[in-house]
């Protein structure tokens, strides 16, 4: 499932982020290519920007209109999935690779007691907690901190339970957070910081450089 309903407001795109041009193509197409090439993927469902369903259908995938917020979009896409495992990915992370997708699905299949496996990279910056007036309150030990990415792979049953309460969805920063609240065990899959999320014009320039280096 690819969440592609973001507005692109912070990017200054003037339209849906998924269709912003990146290295000569709409951003969404880079993720679609990776999922099509992954051996563990049976079907692709895209949560599309409102009014853009037809444009996504042209890509030959299943589509559903995205929700008001990200988790609502994921819930709507999940309703169309019948597989035991589901992979959730943000179209704003165009650097995803087929190898990463397959490795994470295989890891979850091997982790019988886990509800999910999520891509993440260790935090390398010093992290400080800052109060309302901009004053540093404390420095946080980064030794156990990870910056979480997508893809995130879940057992479909566990993700459905986590998305069952609509009141919890608006505040969720990722789907793993909701699964964790239900008591599900979520495992980290260490990956490259190159798997960046495109949020700002600077991110877009970096992603384009990285994609062109891949050829």
């Amino acid at each position: 499932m690819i969440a592609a309903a973001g507005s692109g407001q912070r990017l200054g795109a003037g339209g849906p982020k998924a269709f912003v041009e990146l290295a000569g193509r709409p951003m969404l197409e880079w993720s679609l290519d990776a999922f099509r090439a992954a051996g563990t993927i049976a079907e692709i469902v895209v949560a599309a920007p409102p009014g853009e369903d037809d444009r996504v259908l042209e890509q030959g995938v299943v589509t559903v209109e995205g929700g008001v917020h990200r988790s609502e979009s994921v819930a709507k896409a999940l309703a169309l999935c019948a597989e035991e495992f589901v992979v959730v990915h943000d179209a704003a992370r165009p650097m995803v690779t087929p190898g990463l997708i397959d490795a994470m699905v295989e890891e979850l299949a091997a982790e019988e007691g886990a509800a999910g496996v999520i891509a993440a990279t260790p935090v390398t910056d010093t992290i400080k907690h800052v109060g309302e007036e901009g004053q540093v309150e404390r420095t946080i030990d980064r030794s156990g901190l990870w910056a979480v990415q997508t893809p995130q792979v879940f057992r479909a049953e566990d993700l459905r339970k986590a998305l069952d309460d609509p009141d919890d969805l608006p505040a969720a920063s990722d789907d793993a957070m909701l699964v964790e609240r239900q008591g599900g065990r979520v495992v980290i899959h260490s990956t490259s910081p190159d798997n960046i999320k495109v949020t700002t014009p600077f991110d877009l320039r970096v992603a384009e450089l990285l994609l062109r280096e891949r050829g």
Side-chain angles (χ1 to χ4, degrees):
M1 303 185 298
I2 301 178
S7 67
Q9 184 174 359
R10 284 178 289 177
L11 188 58
K17 186 192 294 187
F19 302 127
V20 170
E21 184 172 307
L22 173 60
R25 309 174 66 190
M27 191 185 306
L28 172 62
E29 290 187 11
W30 294 102
S31 293
L32 288 175
D33 280 358
F35 275 80
R36 289 185 180 116
T40 55
I41 299 300
E43 184 176 50
I44 301 170
V45 180
V46 177
E52 300 286 355
D53 297 47
D54 290 345
R55 190 171 179 183
V56 176
L57 282 171
E58 293 174 357
Q59 296 292 328
V61 298
V62 178
T63 185
V64 63
E65 186 173 292
V68 176
H69 46 77
R70 185 184 179 283
S71 291
E72 184 181 348
S73 296
V74 172
K76 293 175 74 172
L78 182 60
L80 302 179
C81 296
E83 301 295 329
E84 179 185 359
F85 296 157
V86 290
V87 183
V88 183
H89 184 62
D90 292 331
R93 291 191 185 272
M95 302 299 299
V96 64
T97 65
L100 176 60
I101 296 164
D102 287 339
M104 292 179 63
V105 172
E106 291 162 4
E107 184 173 348
L108 182 57
E111 289 272 357
E112 293 185 6
V117 173
I118 60 176
T121 189
V123 170
T124 56
D125 292 330
T126 297
I127 304 296
K128 295 184 183 290
H129 187 276
V130 178
E132 293 182 359
E133 297 181 359
Q135 180 175 329
V136 174
E137 295 183 344
R138 67 183 185 278
T139 300
I140 299 172
D141 180 8
R142 70 186 180 196
S143 61
L145 297 181
W146 291 71
V148 175
Q149 309 169 352
T150 62
Q152 299 187 352
V153 188
F154 302 99
R155 299 184 191 276
E157 181 179 355
D158 290 301
L159 185 56
R160 286 193 180 93
K161 289 178 182 176
L163 293 168
D164 190 48
D165 187 349
D167 293 336
D168 284 345
L169 304 188
S173 56
D174 74 343
D175 304 295
M177 174 181 173
L178 297 171
V179 172
E180 293 156 21
R181 284 181 178 176
Q182 294 290 321
R185 185 166 74 89
V186 177
V187 178
I188 290 291
H189 180 94
S190 182
T191 189
S192 169
D194 287 357
N195 185 29
I196 65 170
K197 183 177 181 181
V198 175
T199 302
T200 67
F202 174 78
D203 300 329
L204 190 67
R205 292 195 298 271
V206 172
E208 180 152 349
L209 176 62
L210 291 171
L211 286 167
R212 292 194 184 281
E213 284 182 350
R214 282 186 184 178

